[in-house]
């Protein structure tokens, strides 16, 4: 799928995701921000406000005007995943193995793969064995080269078939790399032992310079791929990767007969992937706006209006001297928070949380334009960027095919949740959605973060209320202690009736089970229900809570509503589970 721009000669409406009227500190009272925007946001506003909303949001007309045939609008049908069909078995496979760091199913798969590799390396091939030859371990290493390169690509057939993005297959790339390290060490140490047994250690080792070059390259790859290095010094990890690959491929090409075939296969796989990436890349002009409440930067690409699904992400490089020359070679992934062909005429929108050198610099640039504008309206900074994608997303799952959706977002992950909600609403407006019930839970430290999204939340609730067949509830849990005065301001703020502000953390297990009961009440029989989807985007701690709460839903309850699917989009570690 490629991102598509608006047709030449057409200009989308200038309406964009509303920003706050002025920056607020975390200690400021919420009364001005939430009271003012909340009054505008109330679902029980005057007829004049409703008329204005109807004029600005042409819910029923826009999708068909964009090339959709209203006569062709059909409801999508959900196809249950294998995990949902065979949940009695899958419920055990998805349980985490605390000492391994993976689920039981993934741990078993890794164990089987490692067993096959170990058999190939060591079966009747130990120093004490007759006919001992470390050469076999070298071929086991080389045989995995195309596989490990294939798993590292952004575009591959396996991910397309399984409905999994490259970031979800990367766990296999890392594991195959570990088994390759074992095979390589068995090859190198085995030959050192063999040369010593033949009294040829000093004469043979210096002549194998090509082998030592390949060994040094892969050792560089392995050492700098350790989690401690990868998470704290990603630039070093990335540069060590490409330098290591060059040394590895050059060394193995001259090390033994026919080994160059595997090197060429590895390079060819990477080259094909980069060809696909080239056609998914374009130079774009973006508008940067600082969002002080979330300490993040809103990035909008006005001319890109379609070509992606909710939950997908793109990779950005800054083609601007403001970010430094080195930033041109740094690709940063960001989840898309807008929906293609949306009624607001808005382009592709991203939110970049200021949590690293690159994103902090981006936020500073956006903030400087905002602070020097001298007006209440949030000003934007224009910058050129290179955008690649889209990638990832919910895979084969289409959220609007489920009878209900329970979405959990942590911090800036709310942008992912809002895009999912809006996509369901859009499909409902096109009369091709089965979803009747949505509950969005947002866990955030400071409730003042809500100010930036009040208008958007209100627009979504208004669109859903016009449909009459879709019920949306939004619960916002704030975890930071606030003063009594601020608590009173929260209680008196005029928010839409479907938005609730709740102190503390959500009790997800109870909420999930209650939501299943609500879903069951949507229809008189099981055959009329198409299941529940639980979606999550946020930090790893929230991911663990959602997965644990999802497993708490009894099998009978799952069956009574047509099954439960769980889609996880985690900030640091991305995984996908079905249940």
């Amino acid at each position: 799928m490629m991102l598509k721009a608006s047709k030449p000669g057409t200009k989308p409406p200038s309406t964009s995701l509303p920003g706050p009227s002025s920056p607020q500190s975390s200690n400021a009272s919420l009364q001005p921000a939430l009271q003012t925007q909340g009054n505008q946001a109330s679902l029980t506003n005057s007829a004049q406000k409703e008329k204005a909303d109807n004029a600005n949001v042409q819910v029923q007309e826009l999708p068909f005007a964009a090339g959709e045939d209203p006569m062709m609008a059909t409801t999508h049908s959900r196809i249950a995943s294998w995990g949902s069909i065979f949940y009695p078995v899958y419920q055990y496979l998805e349980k985490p193995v605390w000492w391994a760091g993976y689920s039981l199913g993934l741990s078993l798969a890794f164990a089987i793969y490692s067993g096959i590799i170990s058999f190939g390396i060591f079966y009747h091939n130990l120093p004490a064995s007759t006919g001992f030859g470390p050469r076999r371990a070298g071929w086991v290493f080389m045989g995995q080269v195309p596989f490990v390169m294939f798993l590292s690509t952004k575009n591959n057939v396996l991910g397309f078939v399984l409905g999994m993005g490259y970031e979800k297959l990367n766990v296999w790339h890392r594991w195959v790399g570990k088994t390759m390290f074992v095979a390589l060490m068995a090859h190198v140490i085995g030959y050192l032992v063999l040369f010593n047994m033949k009294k040829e250690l000093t004469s043979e080792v210096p002549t194998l310079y090509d082998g030592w070059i390949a060994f040094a390259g892969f050792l560089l790859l392995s050492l700098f791929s350790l989690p401690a290095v990868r998470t704290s010094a990603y630039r070093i990890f990335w540069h060590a990767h490409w330098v290591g690959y060059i040394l590895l491929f050059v060394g193995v090409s001259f090390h033994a007969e026919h080994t160059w075939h595997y090197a060429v296969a590895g390079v060819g796989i990477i080259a094909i992937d980069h060809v696909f990436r080239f056609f998914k890349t374009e130079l774009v002009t973006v508008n940067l706006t600082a969002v002080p409440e979330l300490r993040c930067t809103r990035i909008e690409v006005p001319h890109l209006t379609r070509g992606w699904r909710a939950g997908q992400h793109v990779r950005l490089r800054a083609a601007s001297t403001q970010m430094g020359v080195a930033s041109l070679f740094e690709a940063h992934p960001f989840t898309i928070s807008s929906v293609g062909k949306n009624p607001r005429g808005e382009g592709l929108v991203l939110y970049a949380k200021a949590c690293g050198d690159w994103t902090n610099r981006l936020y500073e640039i956006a903030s400087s334009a905002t602070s020097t504008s001298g007006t209440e309206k949030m000003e934007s900074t224009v910058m050129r960027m290179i955008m690649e994608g889209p990638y990832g997303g919910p895979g084969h799952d289409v959220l609007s095919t489920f009878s209900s959706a329970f979405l959990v977002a942590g911090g800036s992950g709310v942008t992912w949740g809002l895009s999912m909600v809006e996509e369901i609403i859009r499909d409902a407006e096109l009369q091709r959605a089965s979803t009747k019930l949505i509950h969005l839970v947002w866990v955030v430290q400071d409730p003042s973060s809500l100010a930036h999204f009040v208008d958007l939340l209100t627009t979504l609730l208004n669109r859903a209320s016009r449909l009459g067949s879709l019920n949306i509830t939004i619960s916002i849990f704030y975890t930071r202690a606030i003063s009594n005065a601020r608590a009173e301001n929260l209680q008196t703020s005029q928010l839409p009736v479907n938005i609730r502000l709740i102190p503390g953390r959500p009790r997800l297990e109870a909420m999930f089970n209650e939501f299943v009961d609500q879903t069951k009440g949507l229809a008189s029989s099981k055959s009329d229900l198409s299941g529940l989807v639980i979606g999550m985007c946020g930090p790893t701690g929230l991911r663990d809570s959602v997965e644990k709460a999802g497993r708490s839903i009894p099998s009978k309850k799952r069956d009574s509503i047509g099954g439960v699917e769980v889609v996880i989009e985690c900030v640091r570690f991305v995984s996908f589970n079905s249940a």
Side-chain angles (χ1 to χ4, degrees):
M1 182 184 295
M2 297 184 63
L3 300 176
K4 298 181 180 179
S6 303
K7 294 181 179 180
T10 63
K11 182 180 179 181
S14 58
T15 311
S16 60
L17 185 64
S21 58
S22 61
Q24 296 178 348
S25 66
S26 59
N27 297 324
S29 172
L30 288 179
Q31 183 68 23
L34 293 181
Q35 178 89 31
T36 302
Q37 297 191 43
N39 286 332
Q40 296 174 351
S42 176
L43 292 177
T44 59
N45 279 338
S46 63
Q48 182 179 1
K49 178 66 171 64
E50 183 65 25
K51 182 178 179 180
D53 285 341
N54 291 334
N56 291 330
V57 185
Q58 299 296 332
V59 176
Q60 300 297 335
E61 297 178 7
L62 180 83
F64 302 140
E68 302 279 356
D69 184 354
M71 300 302 294
M72 298 298 291
T74 57
T75 302
H76 291 156
S77 298
R78 175 202 166 206
I79 300 177
S81 67
W82 291 111
S84 180
I85 296 172
F86 300 105
Y87 183 73
V89 176
Y90 190 82
Q91 63 178 324
Y92 299 104
L93 296 178
E94 70 170 353
K95 289 186 176 180
V97 180
W98 64 269
W99 51 266
Y102 306 108
S103 66
L104 177 60
L106 196 56
S107 298
L108 290 174
F110 285 163
I112 293 172
Y113 182 83
S114 300
I116 295 172
I117 296 299
S118 298
F119 180 84
I121 297 172
F122 300 112
Y123 183 68
H124 287 177
N125 195 36
L126 296 175
S129 306
T130 303
F132 167 63
R135 184 182 181 89
R136 189 203 299 174
W139 285 113
V140 171
F141 171 84
M142 291 305 304
Q144 296 180 88
V145 167
F147 189 34
V148 76
M149 301 305 291
F150 175 76
L151 291 170
S152 71
T153 58
K154 300 292 184 292
N155 308 274
N156 62 65
V157 178
L158 182 62
F160 175 79
V161 172
L162 297 178
M164 304 173 73
Y166 69 90
E167 74 283 359
K168 297 169 186 175
L169 292 174
N170 191 259
V171 63
W172 272 102
H173 170 74
R174 296 196 298 268
W175 189 263
V176 173
K178 293 174 183 177
T179 60
M180 290 178 67
F181 182 79
V182 172
L184 182 60
M185 295 305 295
H187 176 71
V188 173
I189 295 175
Y191 264 111
L192 293 177
V193 172
L194 184 63
F195 290 152
N196 187 58
M197 292 170 60
K198 294 182 177 181
K199 309 299 182 182
E200 300 175 349
L201 187 62
T202 57
S203 61
E204 290 289 342
V205 169
T207 63
L208 301 173
Y209 59 87
D210 45 14
W212 291 115
I213 290 175
F215 177 72
F218 198 80
L219 193 63
L220 182 69
L221 280 168
S222 302
L223 291 177
F224 286 97
S225 295
L226 294 173
V229 179
R230 190 174 64 246
T231 56
S232 62
Y234 187 83
R235 292 182 185 178
I236 297 176
F237 156 79
W238 188 82
H239 289 299
H241 245 58
W242 67 262
V243 172
Y245 275 130
I246 291 175
L247 293 175
L248 173 65
F249 289 145
V250 170
V252 300
S253 295
F254 298 96
H255 183 57
E257 187 179 6
H258 302 307
T259 53
W260 66 271
H261 296 163
Y262 296 91
V264 170
V267 173
I269 290 171
I270 293 296
I272 293 173
D273 177 58
H274 276 74
V275 170
F276 280 99
R277 293 171 64 176
F278 173 79
F279 285 106
K280 298 176 74 170
T281 302
E282 69 174 293
L283 183 65
V284 297
T285 300
V286 304
N287 297 327
L288 306 178
T289 307
V291 184
E293 296 86 354
L294 297 173
R295 188 168 168 72
C296 67
T297 306
R298 181 179 185 272
I299 308 169
E300 181 179 0
V301 189
H303 75 282
L304 290 180
T305 59
R306 56 179 178 156
W308 70 90
R309 290 181 60 197
Q312 290 189 303
H313 70 271
V314 295
R315 296 164 57 85
L316 287 182
R317 291 181 174 88
S320 170
T321 55
Q322 292 177 285
M323 295 290 292
V325 178
S327 64
L328 183 63
F329 305 98
E330 296 180 26
H332 296 261
F334 297 104
T335 301
I336 302 172
S337 61
S338 58
V339 174
K341 301 180 182 178
N342 62 73
R344 299 186 305 279
E346 178 179 77
L348 183 144
V349 176
L350 312 166
Y351 281 84
K353 181 73 173 179
C355 58
D357 295 339
W358 194 89
T359 50
N360 273 315
R361 177 58 181 156
L362 193 71
Y363 180 74
E364 291 173 2
I365 293 173
S367 299
S368 62
T370 301
S371 61
T372 59
S373 63
T375 63
E376 293 186 354
K377 183 180 178 181
M378 301 295 283
E379 298 294 331
S380 298
T381 300
V382 177
M383 182 180 291
R384 298 284 277 176
M385 287 190 172
I386 298 174
M387 179 175 292
E388 176 192 335
Y391 295 111
H396 295 322
D397 281 324
V398 179
L399 268 64
S400 60
T401 62
F402 293 84
S403 295
S404 61
F406 195 110
L407 307 175
V408 183
S412 58
V414 69
T415 58
W416 174 90
L418 292 175
S419 67
M420 290 293 186
V421 171
E422 187 168 8
E423 184 170 85
I424 295 174
I425 293 175
R426 184 196 63 186
D427 286 348
E429 291 168 347
L430 292 171
Q431 301 177 12
R432 60 188 188 193
S434 302
T435 309
K436 306 299 181 184
L437 190 63
I438 300 175
H439 193 166
L440 172 63
V441 170
W442 182 20
V443 184
V444 67
Q445 288 186 349
D446 195 324
S448 62
S449 303
L450 173 62
H452 181 77
F453 295 105
V454 166
D455 288 346
L456 176 59
L457 291 171
T458 303
T459 300
L460 295 179
L461 291 172
N462 281 333
R463 290 171 60 186
S465 66
R466 293 190 188 98
L467 290 170
S469 59
L470 182 60
N471 182 21
I472 300 179
T473 301
I474 301 173
S475 301
I476 301 171
F477 290 82
Y478 56 95
T479 59
R480 179 178 295 175
I482 59 176
S483 64
N484 291 333
R486 293 187 65 193
E488 291 179 2
N489 288 337
L490 287 173
Q491 298 299 329
T492 57
S493 297
Q494 298 294 322
L495 293 175
V497 294
N498 289 37
I499 297 181
R500 300 181 299 172
L501 282 167
I502 308 169
R505 299 183 182 277
R507 299 177 58 186
L508 292 175
E509 291 189 16
M511 296 179 73
F512 283 178
N513 280 276
E514 181 182 354
F515 195 74
V516 170
D517 293 335
Q518 295 174 5
T519 302
K520 188 176 180 179
L522 294 175
S524 57
S525 64
K526 172 185 173 181
S527 60
D528 296 328
L529 295 174
S530 55
L532 158 67
V533 60
I534 298 175
M536 175 270 167
C537 181
T540 54
L542 185 60
R543 175 202 66 190
D544 296 338
S545 298
V546 169
E547 291 179 336
K548 181 180 179 181
R551 291 192 296 270
S552 72
I553 304 174
S555 297
K556 288 185 178 180
K557 276 194 171 185
R558 294 171 179 270
D559 294 338
S560 67
I561 61 173
V564 177
E565 306 277 353
V566 182
V567 179
I568 302 292
E569 185 79 19
C570 199
V571 171
R572 287 191 177 273
F573 177 79
V574 185
S575 65
F576 176 80
N577 294 306
S578 325

